[in-house]
Amino acid sequence: KPVARVQVVATHRATRSVAKKRHALRGSGVAPRVALSFPNRTSLAVQGGRTSPRVDVRARAADEKAEKLVGVDVGGTFTDVVYTDTATGLTLTHKVPTTPDNPSRGVMNGILELCERFGIDKGEITRVLHGTTTATNAILEQDGCTVGMITTEGYRDVVHIGRHQRPENYSIMQEVPWQDRILVKRRNRLTVSERIAPPNGEVLEPLDEEAVRVAAREFKRKGINAIAICFLFSYLNPEHEQRAAQIVKEEYPDAFITTSAGVSPMFREFERFTTALINTYIGPKVANYVDQLETGLANAGVGGDLHVMASNGGACTPLMVNEKPVLTVLSGPAAGILGAKWIGELSGTNNLITFDVGGTSADIGIITEGQYEMANARETEIAGYPLMVPQIDIHTIGAGGGSIAYKDAGGAFKVGPRSAGAVPGPACYSRGGTEPTVTDANVVLGRLVPDNFLGGEMSLDLEASKVAVSKLADELGLSMEECAEGIITIANANMANAVSSRTVQKGIDPREYALVAFGGGGSMQAAEVAGMLNISKVLVPPYPGLLSAAGLLVSDLKYDTSRTEFQTNDSVDVSKINKDFLNMEDELSGQLQKDGVDKKDALFTRFGDLRYAGQGYELGVSFPLGEITEATMHNIWEEFHKAHELEFGHCFRDSKIELVNIKLSAVGTTEKIQEPTYPEGTQSSLSTCKSLFRVNGKMESFEATIYDRWSIPVDTPLDGPAIICQKDTTTLVPPGCTFTNFANGCIEIDTSSLCGVEAEEDTASVKDFDPVTAAVIRGELENIAIEMGYKLERMAYSSIIRESRDFGTALVSANGDQLAESKQSTPLQSGPIPGYIRGIRKIMEERGEIFEEGDVIMHNDPYGGASHGPDIGFIVPVFYEGNLVGFSGCTAHHLDIGSLTPGSCGIVEAVDAYAEGLQFKAIKVISRGKKNIPVWHMLEDNIRTSDMVKGDMEAQIAAAQQGAQKFQDLMAKWGTETVEGSYGDLLSYSERVMRQAIASVPDGEYSATTYIDGYQYSDDPQYKDLPLCVTIRIKGDEMEVDLTGTAKQLDKPINMPFTGTVDCAIWLTIRSILLDSKIHGFIPQNTGLINPIKIYAPPGCLANPIFPAPTIARFCPGNQLADTVMKALAQAVPEKVSAGIGNLKVISFSGARPEDPSQYWVHMEIFEGAYGGRNGMDGMDAIDTLYANTRNNPIEDIESHLPLRVNKYELREDAAAPGQWRGGLGSVREFTYLADGGASVEGEGHIYKPWGFDGGADGETASLQLESDGSREDMYSKMPYNPAKAGSKFTAIGPAGGGYGNPLLRDPAKVLDDVEDEYITAAAAKEQYGVVLVGSKDEGYSVDHSATSKLRAKRGVGLSRRPSKTTGGRTNY
């Protein structure tokens, strides 16, 4: 009789029955057959529970379409192999170690060993389907090839600047992937003259074919054989890219060539170009791997064709993989989703949440009505790079069996994302690991059976787990068992929050879905995670650890393509849509025909990406096959309204709808793995063990029944607690749950008893508040704020919100403490929200008004907590059981608030607050759930672009209301006293880590002064050259920031509101320096962080103006104040700061709409600055700085919707501030007006250079130029609305950050890189850095090390790199 350590391999019925028939053949006389793989590799066949000689199943194959398939999935530790015969249903599995040096060797070993072990004729295999990590690993490990790029003249640095947003809000020392791990060096980005333009891809400038030839020859000379061709608007007209590719092929036949439209024919140039570069970067490596595997299979006598799983859930041929390897980046996880979909079909469940948990991470996917969700193209990335190709929507979090639990510096109980990995692994693996992990916690709690791990092939060290967990328990003041249970609870909560975030973002109620658990750890955690999500059913596949390999065997051939349309419902061109769909169908049919699938046998599916005109995110809507008519489009518009309402809770039926992209999928169906049947289990259990679970808030010990997976009776409901053992995983069934094993091998766990458990209200034991509950509630609060931000960004109309992300969302307690904020927020927006609420409260108290349930309050008073007038906040008071328990708030910058001139920036001549636009002081736009209609009429009548502004406001309200509802749900789940009790832990944690950080800084006084331009065009000296003074006093764990000496307030709007701008600028800069998230990890942004910091600014100065002084243009002075704070702190913590930043600039373009002069168009753009050099790192180039963190707008979006043309967007050359670590570079952007319009500007930094530090040179100032009628005018940093005629050119030259450290100490190799990348000249290398280069630009340079050493010695290279830290007293900088 089989024992626990036996690996069971199931057969499958020859017919592919649906789930409803899964029990029909039981008792039919057809005995299930099972092959058993023993450790000694002896193979037996079992029939009806009796051992018998093995039957040659191949003789039974009769179906001429039947296939013998092999699926092979390569993981980090093991390579999984699944074989199936679709005629007989025989299915076999095998595992071999992965061979990282050459994964194809592991694949070959797995296939050949399986065939040898089970007597399979390898020559009769008809198809090998492969899930590969080769592409992924090449990106993650930076192991691609050297890339060359040919791009449109004027746009050389699009892939370096990116979207100008920093990856992290609160970090000076962070990495910017597309700059620090650049896919193509600037020296290898060559430009050619050509230009395509919207809306229809017309040619503005022909392709310079000779320039392409010259570029191809240059790459060939350098030996660069991977070349990407990336032209603007090629998605509208790919002819220039295609012709350039032909020319390169003529000149360089051996080159691997990618065109951006060929790999991703959709708008957004940075994302498309980067996708093309990734394809090029990994292309030769992936092609070599696939060729090697294909050849190896053939040479080994393995029959059949090789197909590789693509990220879109379809298999593709080696030919396609070699052309577009980027399609395979999510190859393995995509196969897991297919496998989960198959399990759902077997179980009769169409709505699934997939839950793939490994050692270091968990992958989450969604399947609705039997269809997996596809990712939004603009939301997908890998290793920090955007990746705009069709792929299944899979969300990965850092939580798995190896996730390490620890107490952080602030005393918080945390689990992950750091992992013990496979080596050393959890402590119980006895491989050297000593830190407690999720796996160790399960061992301590008796939820894993130490002598039956991996089917008994590995034993776990219980004592080692106890030692690891006990050490952490002592630190936390918990018992060992409480600590272990806390580890599990926190890990599960992290996973549940991730699932909740993904489902809420898609308008999906997880309660209507089943959870499919797979991977090595999914079935251990799934039941409790499901309970947290109120999911009542968990499905566990027969082989959870092998599901990705099995998923390969249910894949079809599948290809996707798309076209960008930019058509609106008031002027749709159905003939173009039909033409594009037909061309796309021909394209995909041709690909399938190469795979042997006739067009008549292909299955086509059409989709469209739609949005309300002005929004930045699209929703997918199905399109019918056949001819598209006006009536068809009417139905599609209606479906979009419904989809928008489903996902966001609102639709805007009066708004114009835009069709952004049309998409086509083509599927060639193939034979697949069949539904399995497994033998009747006859053994009720193996044994029992003591296991600990928390029930009704108390830890209890239970006798858990231990089962062998293959001995469980079929169709017999069994009670938990239970531990189900098998070779590839362990399944946990908690107390109160039941489970059933079905004939097809699936286990279904009923988790109803864990769902819908609300807190009892006699939570008098708040004094016993534990760190586990604190960690879980903290995670749920953060998740609510993130969901709010997601909703606002997706629904917003204006580019300043949905593209630039100039918005904030936060949750605030009833007494005004910030609890959590959205990570998508720019810090300057989320930080002031508590101030908004304080201001609202004060005004309402003065009026005698009260908060009522159902209220939504609008507020933008800069003297009542708002940051400035355009940043309008919408606040929802949250009530639970009749009591005010908190606030849900959103702020966002609006394009217009009815001020002096179009737009809401550059209002630089406002004389008082009343001249800045409409003032909303605690206005109830919704009162007790009823809309205040007159307020909305007022908005319509007094704001330019009112439709867009109102749409943004509606998005804010929807996000705030969602946050309020989730806040109420949290109260219902935990109880008011428990949730409010958690606030103390949350706030004290943040305060504690801030105090520790301040205490690490030497006591003393540190002062700095910088100057801002002010109004240089004024004849009155009081308006220009204005000082910002900062003195920081540190004593122990407290800090005082004194702004005495700062210039007096003006009757011009560069005054900074003390609450909402000045306080946030200071707090956020201090936390970014002292608690840098790159170094310290995630620390919640809340009121606790600011408690140790006191700020003083004299009333009546720029930093504390008195009403009604204007403040609308406070943005750039505020960022300069933040830079001054960093300048002061540089004396105390020089290793934590950057040199001076190049400040930002805000420009508002506007004009009358050409099609309707009675209406305005307004476009606001935040122009990037640059960071100074940092200790060990150069400055970040062309990026948002300090207290802001917004994004730019894609050129292809601007030109498609506005009468503007972007002529140039590149880095500034010969402006890098010298230093041991040079300053970051600014950008150069040039616009041309295509119709009469104008612009207004607010900025700083035209007069005063960013400061250099520790011997580094000062940076470079910014400038503006307007060229019209043949004359060019230099503009000041502030410019009131300035009309411009069609044809006028507007050029913004960004600042460059300061240098850090003695330039003579810069690594000569880095200087050489800067010369070769044309950031500096060879002459500058010698003059500024003392680096002597030999050679030429054409032939290449090299460092003359001897001459360099002599020159540097002559100049005094021995100088100290940095002065010693100040240890006390007064220091001025």
Side-chain angles (χ1 to χ4, degrees), residues 570 830 837 934 1192:
D570 59 348
S830 53
I837 293 169
N1192 59 21

Side-chain angles (χ1 to χ4, degrees), residues 1048-1108:
K1048 293 181 179 180
Q1049 72 179 52
L1050 303 177
D1051 58 357
K1052 293 183 183 294
I1054 60 172
N1055 304 294
M1056 298 170 279
F1058 182 79
T1059 299
T1061 294
V1062 171
D1063 56 355
C1064 291
I1066 293 171
W1067 293 328
L1068 301 177
T1069 303
I1070 291 169
R1071 80 151 289 175
S1072 295
I1073 295 170
L1074 299 185
L1075 294 173
D1076 190 311
S1077 59
K1078 181 67 175 179
I1079 299 166
H1080 295 270
F1082 173 75
I1083 295 171
Q1085 175 65 37
N1086 57 51
T1087 300
L1089 278 174
I1090 68 180
N1091 286 339
I1093 304 168
K1094 309 303 178 189
I1095 305 171
Y1096 172 75
C1101 74
L1102 280 180
N1104 192 4
I1106 300 171
F1107 181 81

Side-chain angles (χ1 to χ4, degrees), residues 1114-1134:
R1114 98 297 178 226
F1115 176 71
C1116 295
N1119 211 30
Q1120 203 69 56
L1121 175 63
D1123 183 58
T1124 310
V1125 170
M1126 183 163 66
K1127 189 176 183 181
L1129 275 176
Q1131 303 153 57
V1133 287

Side-chain angles (χ1 to χ4, degrees), residues 32-102:
R33 300 180 55 261
V34 178
L36 301 173
S37 169
F38 289 86
N40 63 6
R41 297 198 176 194
T42 302
S43 295
L44 298 174
V46 174
Q47 190 168 34
R50 301 184 305 276
T51 303
S52 61
R54 181 171 178 80
V55 178
D56 184 356
V57 299
R58 290 167 293 168
R60 298 175 58 183
D63 187 343
E64 62 180 13
K65 290 186 178 181
E67 293 196 61
K68 296 179 173 61
L69 309 175
V70 174
V72 187
D73 180 61
V74 177
T77 305
F78 290 104
T79 293
D80 301 330
V81 186
V82 177
Y83 166 91
T84 190
D85 184 329
T86 64
T88 65
L90 175 68
T91 295
L92 309 168
T93 69
H94 190 53
K95 271 181 179 284
V96 295
T98 293
T99 52
D101 59 316
N102 180 6

Side-chain angles (χ1 to χ4, degrees), residues 9-19 21-23 25-26 32-34 84 88-92 342-343 345-347 541-543 547 550 554 672-679 709-710 714 742-746:
V9 188
T11 64
H12 299 67
R13 290 194 297 272
T15 56
R16 191 182 182 200
S17 62
V18 298
K21 299 178 181 179
R22 62 187 175 198
H23 309 309
L25 294 184
R26 293 192 64 229
R33 300 180 55 261
V34 178
T84 190
T88 65
L90 175 68
T91 295
L92 309 168
W342 176 58
I343 294 302
E345 292 171 355
L346 298 181
S347 303
Y543 288 97
L547 190 63
V554 294
K672 300 172 180 63
I673 190 172
Q674 303 300 310
E675 180 178 354
T677 54
Y678 289 84
R709 174 65 180 264
W710 310 112
V714 173
F742 292 111
N744 58 23
C746 294

Side-chain angles (χ1 to χ4, degrees), residues 568-644:
T568 55
N569 60 332
D570 59 348
S571 59
V572 64
D573 182 353
V574 293
S575 62
K576 182 178 185 303
I577 294 173
N578 283 313
K579 179 181 177 182
D580 287 344
F581 268 131
L582 288 175
N583 289 338
M584 293 158 68
E585 193 171 307
D586 288 342
E587 173 191 337
L588 297 188
S589 297
Q591 182 58 51
L592 285 174
Q593 285 174 344
K594 294 177 183 178
D595 298 343
V597 179
D598 290 334
K599 182 176 181 178
K600 62 181 177 60
D601 297 323
L603 301 176
F604 294 94
T605 308
R606 295 175 173 181
F607 298 93
D609 289 336
L610 287 80
R611 64 188 183 188
Y612 290 116
Q615 288 183 330
Y617 283 80
E618 301 83 38
L619 291 176
V621 175
S622 294
F623 273 57
L625 298 176
E627 184 181 2
I628 303 297
T629 65
E630 294 282 353
T632 307
M633 294 307 300
H634 176 79
N635 292 334
I636 288 169
W637 308 135
E638 180 61 28
E639 286 302 311
F640 170 73
H641 285 307
K642 293 177 181 178
H644 197 279

Side-chain angles (χ1 to χ4, degrees), residues 162-164 269 799-800 803-804 806 893 895 904-906 1115-1116 1144-1150 1162-1168 1184 1190-1195 1197-1199 1202 1204 1206 1209 1229 1231 1240-1242 1290 1292:
R163 300 299 301 277
H164 93 197
E269 65 280 352
S799 62
I800 194 65
E803 289 290 349
S804 295
D806 195 357
H893 191 111
L895 284 181
S904 55
C905 72
F1115 176 71
C1116 295
L1144 309 170
K1145 190 176 270 89
V1146 191
I1147 302 178
S1148 179
F1149 299 93
S1150 60
V1162 177
H1163 173 68
M1164 201 173 95
E1165 188 83 60
I1166 297 175
F1167 283 63
E1168 56 274 339
D1184 211 335
T1190 62
R1191 296 191 300 191
N1192 59 21
N1193 289 268
I1195 297 168
D1197 196 3
I1198 293 171
E1199 294 193 12
L1202 300 167
L1204 293 171
V1206 183
Y1209 194 10
R1229 282 204 250 184
F1231 294 78
S1240 53
V1241 181
E1242 59 183 75
F1290 189 99

